[in-house]
Amino acid sequence: MAITRRKFLGWMGCAAAGSATLAGTAAYGASNKEFKGHPGSFGVLHDTTRCIGCRKCEKACNEVNKMPDPKVPFEDLSVLETERRTSVHTHTVVNRYAPSKQASSEKQHPIFVKKQCNHCLEPACASACFVKAFKKDKKGPVGYDETLCVGCRYCMVACPFNIPAYEYDNPLTPRVMKCTMCLPRIEEGKLPGCVEICPREALVFGKRDDLIREARMRIQKYPDLYVDHIYGEHEMGGTSWLYLSKVPFSQIGMREDLGTTSAPQMTAGALSAVPIVVGLWPVLLTGIYAISKRKDKVAEEEAQEAIAHVKEEAETALASELAKLKEKMTKEKETAVTAAVKKAMDEAAAAAQAEEKAKTEEQKAPEAESDVEEEK
């Protein structure tokens, strides 16, 4: 059974995690201590009251990350009619929502919300990843190392915001794709692409603590414009991406049932109470991989058998059709030959009759002349 580099690294990561746990060391991402975030880390404040749904942030994201253009051009706003989620080739999307609770005197205005990875302070994806392919950078973004990823996709299950996307169409080296908060640009002193291009400054980049203060100032200054809550300040232990809204966040597609406990805190008790589970990860994954390979082999054999059967049936049908065609062509050939022979014989008979008639007329000509002379 062939073992890929990713599978090998995955098992080694499991073994290391299991050994650390059995030795009394806490498993990665499992802690009962509240994490307030790295000091001075960056984030983005998204003020949904300023967003106009122009999709320029989507375009900038694709350009920065060198992703292919979408089927629907960025200038076409018809895609806003359907709620979308991020994908392998789309790390950020803008959705339009129609709020259901507004004063009767107000004109109904849609609300546009940008969705991408929220870059949690204690990421659920990193907590679920036993090979540490996901890691929270001290600058704020949650990074991903594809060389460590084993393709288990636990990160996709763990993410409460339904963000990570898997390259199912890449069978050799599939990756988990998501927003990086443009970490390379941040390291160069630049703004994230979406923030830089926003024409209405609906996106503000800066240190997370400063953004929280700015958000609170806006709420205090315009209490009738904003809900008194900064989404992401405490949700799931806090996120680096923060939101302001004029309607309850549940009305703009955001979960309000997450609580304030981070994913590692919720899993700390279970992992410490049952350390043997972590130690058994290599055995479990090896077994799952072997079963998966066996199923793949059986499926391949069945597919080959089905192909052979279809091929045999096709060859039989083809042979039958060829035989019928040959028989038909033979009959047509015989009919044509018979017709040609009959035509030739008819033509020969007609020619013979014409020749006989001509001879008869030649013989009658002298006799006719003789009779004429006698009469004279």
Side-chain angles (χ1 to χ4, degrees):
M1 179 180 67
I3 300 176
T4 65
R5 179 172 178 272
R6 282 193 173 185
K7 295 292 187 304
F8 176 77
L9 288 173
W11 298 341
M12 291 301 99
C14 290
S19 300
T21 304
L22 293 174
T25 303
Y28 174 70
S31 170
N32 57 7
K33 295 181 180 180
E34 184 178 357
F35 179 62
K36 297 293 186 179
H38 295 290
S41 64
F42 294 104
V44 176
L45 173 62
H46 177 27
D47 190 335
T48 61
T49 67
R50 299 185 180 186
C51 184
I52 58 175
C54 64
R55 297 185 66 199
K56 291 185 182 297
C57 55
E58 293 185 24
K59 183 176 182 179
C61 181
N62 270 44
E63 291 176 351
V64 169
N65 292 284
K66 299 180 180 179
M67 294 183 291
D69 291 335
K71 294 180 180 179
V72 181
F74 293 110
E75 294 74 19
D76 187 344
L77 304 183
S78 63
V79 296
L80 299 177
E81 299 295 334
T82 305
E83 185 171 0
R84 298 173 295 153
R85 61 152 291 181
T86 57
S87 66
V88 171
H89 300 304
T90 307
H91 295 175
T92 186
V93 296
V94 176
N95 288 324
R96 178 168 59 192
Y97 297 92
S100 59
K101 294 182 180 180
Q102 284 188 334
S104 58
S105 60
E106 291 185 16
K107 183 180 179 181
Q108 293 285 344
H109 293 290
I111 297 177
F112 301 96
V113 183
K114 179 181 179 298
K115 299 290 181 68
Q116 70 298 300
C117 174
N118 285 328
H119 301 278
C120 305
L121 300 186
E122 291 189 275
C125 56
S127 177
C129 184
F130 52 84
V131 294
K132 300 184 182 180
F134 284 93
K135 184 178 180 181
K136 178 71 172 179
D137 191 273
K138 292 183 178 181
K139 294 182 179 65
V142 175
Y144 166 72
D145 188 346
E146 63 184 78
T147 64
L148 298 178
C149 181
V150 297
C152 68
R153 287 159 285 176
Y154 292 158
C155 54
M156 297 174 65
V157 178
C159 179
F161 304 108
N162 194 29
I163 293 299
Y166 190 70
E167 289 183 320
Y168 290 101
D169 58 347
N170 182 4
L172 298 179
T173 56
R175 298 169 296 172
V176 176
M177 307 298 288
K178 71 173 193 66
C179 161
T180 64
M181 204 195 286
C182 291
L183 179 57
R185 290 175 61 89
I186 294 176
E187 293 175 336
E188 294 175 4
K190 300 178 181 178
L191 293 173
C194 58
V195 176
E196 185 176 65
I197 202 172
C198 184
R200 292 292 300 274
E201 295 185 356
L203 303 172
V204 180
F205 176 79
K207 292 184 178 180
R208 185 174 184 272
D209 293 339
D210 295 339
L211 295 177
I212 291 175
R213 282 192 287 270
E214 172 64 22
R216 285 177 180 159
M217 287 176 59
R218 293 187 186 185
I219 293 173
Q220 292 173 2
K221 188 174 182 179
Y222 304 103
D224 295 333
L225 182 61
Y226 298 103
V227 172
D228 189 11
H229 180 66
I230 305 171
Y231 193 95
E233 182 179 8
H234 300 297
E235 277 76 11
M236 290 297 294
T239 63
S240 295
W241 209 278
L242 307 166
Y243 296 83
L244 287 177
S245 173
K246 63 180 178 181
V247 299
F249 290 96
S250 59
Q251 293 187 21
I252 55 175
M254 304 180 75
R255 295 181 60 179
E256 292 188 316
D257 61 341
L258 299 176
T260 60
T261 305
S262 67
Q265 282 183 273
M266 288 189 287
T267 58
L271 290 178
S272 60
V274 195
I276 191 63
V277 173
V278 182
L280 288 175
W281 266 117
V283 178
L284 175 62
L285 286 180
T286 304
I288 292 175
Y289 182 63
I291 292 172
S292 176
K293 293 299 290 183
R294 173 59 183 166
K295 288 175 64 178
D296 292 343
K297 184 178 180 181
V298 171
E300 183 179 357
E301 291 175 353
E302 290 178 349
Q304 290 178 351
E305 183 178 348
I307 292 172
H309 180 65
V310 172
K311 182 180 179 182
E312 183 180 354
E313 289 185 344
E315 290 177 347
T316 302
L318 180 60
S320 176
E321 290 297 323
L322 287 175
K324 291 180 181 178
L325 181 61
K326 184 177 180 181
E327 183 180 358
K328 181 180 179 181
M329 292 178 67
T330 300
K331 289 182 179 179
E332 290 178 350
K333 184 177 180 181
E334 290 176 352
T335 301
V337 170
T338 301
V341 171
K342 184 177 182 303
K343 181 180 179 182
M345 292 178 66
D346 291 342
E347 290 176 350
Q353 289 180 358
E355 185 178 354
E356 184 67 25
K357 183 178 180 180
K359 287 181 179 180
T360 301
E361 291 177 350
E362 287 179 358
Q363 291 176 355
K364 289 181 178 181
E367 295 178 358
E369 292 178 356
S370 175
D371 290 343
V372 171
E373 289 179 357
E374 289 178 356
E375 289 179 359
K376 286 181 177 182

